[in-house]
Amino acid sequence: MLIEARPISDAELGTLITALQRELREVGGGLEFTYEDGAQHLVGVVDGRAVACGALQTLDAQSGAIKRMYVRPAFRGRGIARQMLAALEEMALDAGYVVLRLDAGVYLPAALALLRSAGYGRTQANGFEKRILVAA
């Protein structure tokens, strides 16, 4: 899989985000999200087709948030989400972040399993957090 940066105006990224919103509405009882200004977006491409996405949003000088992670259903179970998560973590390290946070609904068991296996722990605010860089 090729993972590349894309602007929020990218048509293929827009299609993936629309599919993500549709799925969240179906499984999450109408959950919607808004676009955050300044988020950096990645798209995963398999055989020339955009099949996954994710974004990194700055929270403050030392922390970021993972947003809009999605893999098309036909491409799930191939390790694509794990690769996307690793790419977003690498981007966060390059930005100098110490902590990464994200929200994941309890209605997404595969996402929860991925986060746990990647070292993310639950927060009190119903989200997940991972220290990605040990401060010296």
Side-chain angles (χ1 to χ4, degrees), residues 18-33:
T18 298
L20 167 60
Q21 286 182 313
R22 184 179 324 113
E23 187 169 330
L24 287 176
R25 276 193 305 272
E26 290 171 4
V27 299
L31 182 64
E32 294 273 346
F33 57 81

Side-chain angles (χ1 to χ4, degrees), residues 24-133:
L24 287 176
R25 276 193 305 272
E26 290 171 4
V27 299
L31 182 64
E32 294 273 346
F33 57 81
T34 58
Y35 296 112
E36 294 84 8
D37 291 329
Q40 298 174 306
H41 293 82
L42 297 178
V43 170
V45 179
V46 174
D47 296 328
R49 181 176 181 202
V51 300
C53 63
L56 179 65
Q57 174 70 40
T58 299
L59 294 175
D60 58 44
Q62 293 190 340
S63 60
I66 294 177
K67 304 285 187 176
R68 293 185 283 285
M69 270 198 59
Y70 178 73
V71 177
R72 289 185 180 280
F75 289 85
R76 292 178 186 166
R78 300 181 190 188
I80 291 172
R82 188 169 301 280
Q83 291 177 57
M84 182 61 67
L85 184 59
L88 291 164
E89 288 178 349
E90 187 67 31
M91 188 186 304
L93 284 170
D94 290 347
Y97 299 150
V98 176
V99 174
L100 270 178
R101 294 183 177 100
L102 68 144
D103 294 323
V106 295
Y107 45 83
L108 300 170
L112 298 177
L114 170 65
L115 295 173
R116 287 188 193 104
S117 72
Y120 287 79
R122 277 281 204 188
T123 66
Q124 290 181 1
N126 211 18
F128 286 83
E129 180 176 286
K130 179 180 181 181
R131 181 165 291 279
I132 59 170
L133 180 66

Side-chain angles (χ1 to χ4, degrees), residues 2-24:
L2 171 68
I3 298 178
E4 55 191 23
R6 299 270 182 100
I8 190 63
S9 60
D10 180 80
E12 289 180 308
L13 175 60
T15 299
L16 289 167
I17 291 172
T18 298
L20 167 60
Q21 286 182 313
R22 184 179 324 113
E23 187 169 330
L24 287 176

